[in-house]
Amino acid sequence: MRSVSAYVLPIMDQKMVPVEDIVEYQLFLVSQEPSDSVQRKQILHQYIQQILAKFASLLAPYIWQKQPFNLRYKANKGNVPAHIGGVTHFGDNLDDEWFIVFLVQQITKEFPDLAARVEDNDGEFLLIEAADFIPKWLKPENSSNRVFFFHGKLCIVPLSQNSRECDSAASLTVSQALELLSAHPDKFLSSQSVAKAVARRINGYPDKIKDSLHRAHCFIPAAVAAVLKARPKLISAAVQAFYLRDPVDLRACRTFHHFPPEMLVLTSVTFTKCLYAQLIQQRFHPDRRSGYALPPLSHPTYKAHELGMKLAHGFEILCSRCGRSPAETTGNTLQSPLWTGFLNNLKKNDFFKGEMEGSAQYSELLKVAQIYFQQSVIKPESPVISSPGEEVLSLLKTLPLNLEAMKKEEADLPPDEDDSWLDISPDKLEQILQEAAGPKDSVPSSSDEEKRYDLSEVTESMKAFISKVSSHEGAEVPRVPPETPITFDVDSFTSALEKILGPSPEELDSDDLESEEDFESLDSDEGLATPFGEDPLTSLRSYMEVMDHELAQTNIGKSFTTKRKTSEVTAPVSDDAATEDMGLTSVDMDLNLVTNILESFSSQAGLAGPASNILQSMGVHLPDNTDSALQ
């Protein structure tokens, strides 16, 4: 199966470069019927029209950053059966990618015979989003073709019982996964934690679309205003042309052939927040030869003039990149049976919102539907796709310019929206980071939290972390306190020590000895790490005692907090008592651990650091240090 990273674009020197920031979506028929390829193709084409008509109210007015959501028929190829799908280049706007995820989920909910896959340049990005909650067996080498939306729910096809976790051959084909989903539709639902992690990114749609828009006043040429009124979604192509301009593009803007600055009108332009930020944040001074001049920075209309000037440059660059204007084919496409069937589907899905045919509102919605039909149904299937510049040039030839009407509309413009969302305060940034990390339990007040906080949670979490398994892939971090107490397996510990210290002499075979000298050394006590017949654990304790005596002569012990004596020793002096006389009292491991962590946490001064990062990864959140000074 072809990965999205395999999509490439040609450049001027005929080399091929990979396209980044793209998302691929595939919709499969779960049922194997009909088996006839021709009938199956017809059914899939019908699904394209039904899906686009069902979600036309969302897709028709949506402003895409780079490319729109599109569906095309894909023939059977290799292990991938015939299906419908598309690829969208979302560019810098991640909201487009997650909106597509929402669409795919809703499609499988509305059309239960379809199962869908979604991936981008990073692969199975839905699993990446839920990386903290996915099953341990699920790894990049076996995750291919296992993640689907089916009946509107996220499904993960598990490994078969005969497959090993590290078996690279455990990956499924799409056909195998579809057979399993068809046979067991409710058996492969993902865990609630994984589903919530994905749902957190798509919750709020479709109402979330309105929040992603921004309206701003702009002084733009009357021709640009007419083009945007007829094709509002061309705003993205114009902003991208200006944002990604090069010296060749600016050369075309020295003298404006299509959008001169003589006829400027004030109008309200609808951007996405991503497009608006790209346009407003760029510093740009127009060429003097262009005729565009900006008022003083303190002028109340400076922002409107600056935005309009940049937009005019973007539209001029679009037109300069194409040398011809395509013939208008609206009349031909709107008289085809395909348009008639699509229009009927729109009426069934209440696209016209009950408006009477012939009314002004109905006519406006009909124009939107016609544009949507040409761009979403006709254009993806057409071998020749016109560029945005060609579309602008075509509109300039057909659109009437009523300058007086535009001037009158200036008095009824909606107010300019506040763009303070561009400035993110530290508190807002913290809120965004917390939302990205997922919902957390309510946090009590600092005073109550300090009173009820139990530092033993820190030691218990650290002990649980030490007891977990680690490998070259990392350590397992306990997100919740362990339900069972930590146990000490003496046999396992002894076995591990034997591996470290080596086998006892009676277990050594002659093949383990490299020379006769090694064999002869077994008869003497010299060179033996462990005396014959002595328990390895006892030998290790003797080594530890020798180390303790040596360290007692240094100042290292003073850096640790020791346990307090509960009673005076009155019995005859023993080895332990002698050890205490030498200053070798037991170290309070828990107290030293907590003390060191608190000192490290305090030195972070409220910023991110090793102590807070480690504890938060284990679900432990220390209260803020509200002390005025460290004692």
Side-chain angles (χ1 to χ4, degrees):
M1 178 178 174
R2 179 173 59 175
S3 172
V4 266
S5 60
Y7 285 88
V8 293
L9 284 180
I11 56 177
M12 296 302 293
D13 58 357
Q14 302 302 319
K15 294 181 180 179
M16 306 298 284
V17 294
V19 181
E20 297 182 353
D21 302 327
I22 63 175
V23 57
E24 182 181 13
Y25 33 94
Q26 300 170 312
L27 300 166
F28 301 93
L29 275 174
V30 176
S31 174
Q32 300 300 320
E33 299 294 335
S35 58
D36 182 68
S37 59
V38 177
Q39 295 180 3
R40 200 172 184 86
K41 181 178 180 179
Q42 293 176 350
I43 292 176
L44 290 174
H45 274 290
Q46 292 175 2
Y47 269 114
I48 293 178
Q49 295 188 41
Q50 294 174 8
I51 291 171
L52 295 178
K54 180 68 178 180
F55 297 95
S57 58
L58 298 179
L59 293 172
Y62 191 87
I63 300 176
W64 299 92
Q65 181 78 8
K66 285 278 190 180
Q67 293 176 342
F69 177 83
N70 59 88
L71 292 176
R72 297 183 62 180
Y73 171 78
K74 306 292 181 68
N76 182 17
K77 186 176 181 181
N79 292 325
V80 181
H83 62 283
I84 56 177
V87 178
T88 296
H89 186 192
F90 56 86
D92 296 326
N93 194 357
L94 286 177
D95 288 342
D96 285 359
E97 181 177 27
W98 289 107
F99 177 52
I100 288 176
V101 174
F102 166 77
L103 285 174
V104 170
Q105 182 210 32
Q106 293 298 310
I107 289 172
T108 60
K109 184 177 181 180
E110 296 292 337
F111 301 92
D113 292 335
L114 296 178
R117 293 190 64 253
V118 188
E119 64 174 356
D120 63 6
N121 295 98
D122 296 324
E124 300 285 356
F125 68 98
L126 298 182
L127 295 181
I128 298 176
E129 188 67 26
D132 293 331
F133 312 104
I134 60 176
K136 295 180 181 179
W137 59 263
L138 196 56
K139 299 179 181 180
E141 53 266 24
N142 63 14
S143 63
S144 180
N145 303 325
R146 293 189 181 276
V147 184
F148 288 84
F149 279 112
F150 190 45
H151 294 170
K153 298 179 180 179
L154 189 65
C155 299
I156 299 178
V157 181
L159 290 173
S160 63
Q161 296 181 355
N162 297 328
S163 299
R164 296 176 299 175
E165 291 184 7
C166 59
D167 186 5
S168 60
S171 60
L172 285 177
T173 64
V174 176
S175 299
Q176 291 173 340
L178 294 176
E179 290 179 4
L180 292 173
L181 287 174
S182 177
H184 311 282
D186 299 327
K187 187 177 180 181
F188 305 130
L189 296 180
S190 65
S191 65
Q192 292 185 357
S193 300
V194 174
K196 287 180 179 179
V198 175
R200 186 170 63 245
R201 298 302 299 266
I202 60 178
N203 281 344
Y205 283 107
D207 297 335
K208 195 175 179 180
I209 299 175
K210 297 180 180 179
D211 298 333
S212 66
L213 300 178
H214 181 84
R215 294 172 179 83
H217 290 174
C218 301
F219 279 99
I220 54 179
V224 173
V227 168
L228 286 178
K229 187 175 182 179
R231 301 284 196 276
K233 292 193 284 188
L234 283 174
I235 185 68
S236 59
V239 173
Q240 291 299 303
F242 174 79
Y243 185 71
L244 302 175
R245 64 192 180 277
D246 56 28
V248 177
D249 294 329
L250 293 179
R251 191 180 306 158
C253 296
R254 292 174 183 173
T255 56
F256 278 70
H257 296 288
H258 303 93
F259 306 103
E262 283 76 19
M263 295 188 298
L264 297 180
V265 295
L266 179 63
T267 185
S268 179
V269 179
T270 301
F271 303 84
T272 64
K273 287 184 176 179
C274 182
L275 291 172
Y276 179 79
Q278 288 180 329
L279 198 66
I280 195 67
Q281 297 289 358
Q282 286 232 338
R283 295 183 179 181
F284 178 75
H285 298 282
D287 194 297
R288 294 181 180 179
R289 291 167 289 185
S290 66
Y292 280 89
L294 297 177
L297 188 61
S298 59
H299 198 277
T301 62
Y302 174 83
K303 182 185 292 185
H305 277 91
E306 183 189 29
L307 287 172
M309 177 269 298
K310 293 177 180 179
L311 273 182
H313 278 73
F315 276 100
E316 187 70 26
I317 291 172
L318 285 179
C319 294
S320 67
R321 290 177 179 175
C322 56
R324 61 181 180 86
S325 177
E328 188 66 42
T329 59
T330 303
N332 295 333
T333 57
L334 296 182
Q335 293 177 0
S336 64
L338 187 61
W339 160 250
T340 304
F342 186 74
L343 183 60
N344 291 332
N345 281 327
L346 290 178
K347 293 178 180 178
K348 291 179 182 178
N349 289 281
D350 196 26
F351 177 80
F352 296 98
K353 302 175 182 178
E355 296 289 337
M356 295 290 294
E357 290 192 30
S359 64
Q361 185 65 24
Y362 183 91
S363 300
E364 289 294 327
L365 292 174
L366 182 61
K367 290 180 181 179
V368 173
Q370 291 172 351
I371 297 171
Y372 174 64
F373 173 75
Q374 294 174 34
Q375 295 181 344
S376 300
V377 181
I378 298 298
K379 185 177 287 187
E381 298 293 339
S382 175
V384 180
I385 300 178
S386 60
S387 66
E390 293 172 345
E391 189 174 358
V392 172
L393 291 175
S394 178
L395 290 172
L396 290 178
K397 291 184 176 182
T398 58
L399 290 177
L401 288 181
N402 191 340
L403 191 59
E404 294 183 1
M406 293 182 181
K407 289 292 184 181
K408 292 181 180 179
E409 292 176 357
E410 292 182 2
D412 298 328
L413 293 179
D416 201 2
E417 293 186 352
D418 183 22
D419 61 359
S420 59
W421 50 267
L422 288 169
D423 303 321
I424 300 180
S425 62
D427 294 338
K428 181 63 176 179
L429 178 60
E430 181 66 22
Q431 179 183 353
I432 294 174
L433 294 176
Q434 289 181 358
E435 291 176 355
K440 299 178 181 179
D441 298 335
S442 57
V443 180
S445 62
S446 58
S447 57
D448 296 339
E449 185 179 6
E450 291 174 4
K451 292 179 182 178
R452 298 197 302 265
Y453 202 85
D454 186 3
L455 288 176
S456 63
E457 183 181 357
V458 177
T459 60
E460 292 175 359
S461 298
M462 290 299 296
K463 289 178 181 178
F465 175 70
I466 296 299
S467 68
K468 295 295 180 179
V469 178
S470 63
S471 67
H472 66 282
E473 295 181 351
E476 298 179 9
V477 179
R479 288 230 165 227
V480 293
E483 298 180 358
T484 57
I486 300 173
T487 59
F488 181 78
D489 190 345
V490 178
D491 295 335
S492 299
F493 182 69
T494 304
S495 176
L497 285 177
E498 289 178 353
K499 293 180 180 179
I500 297 174
L501 299 176
S504 58
E506 64 270 16
E507 295 176 352
L508 288 176
D509 196 1
S510 60
D511 293 337
D512 299 326
L513 303 176
E514 297 182 356
S515 64
E516 294 182 0
E517 289 78 4
D518 294 335
F519 184 80
E520 293 175 355
S521 65
L522 292 176
D523 295 335
S524 62
D525 293 337
E526 296 179 1
L528 281 180
T530 305
F532 181 77
E534 185 175 348
D535 185 14
L537 185 58
T538 304
S539 176
L540 180 62
R541 286 177 179 151
S542 65
Y543 288 142
M544 297 298 294
E545 291 176 0
V546 173
M547 292 176 62
D548 288 340
H549 281 81
E550 292 182 358
L551 292 176
Q553 309 303 322
T554 66
N555 294 326
I556 294 179
K558 297 180 180 179
S559 63
F560 297 99
T561 303
T562 57
K563 294 182 179 180
R564 296 181 180 179
K565 301 178 182 179
T566 56
S567 60
E568 297 295 335
V569 178
T570 58
V573 178
S574 61
D575 292 340
D576 294 338
T579 301
E580 288 192 7
D581 291 340
M582 297 177 63
L584 299 178
T585 54
S586 300
V587 175
D588 193 334
M589 300 296 294
D590 293 347
L591 181 58
N592 281 276
L593 172 64
V594 173
T595 302
N596 291 335
I597 289 180
L598 292 179
E599 290 178 355
S600 177
F601 180 77
S602 178
S603 65
Q604 295 176 192
L607 302 176
S612 59
N613 290 342
I614 292 176
L615 292 176
Q616 287 180 9
S617 66
M618 296 185 293
V620 179
H621 300 274
L622 292 177
D624 294 333
N625 185 7
T626 57
D627 295 339
S628 57
L630 294 175
Q631 301 296 331

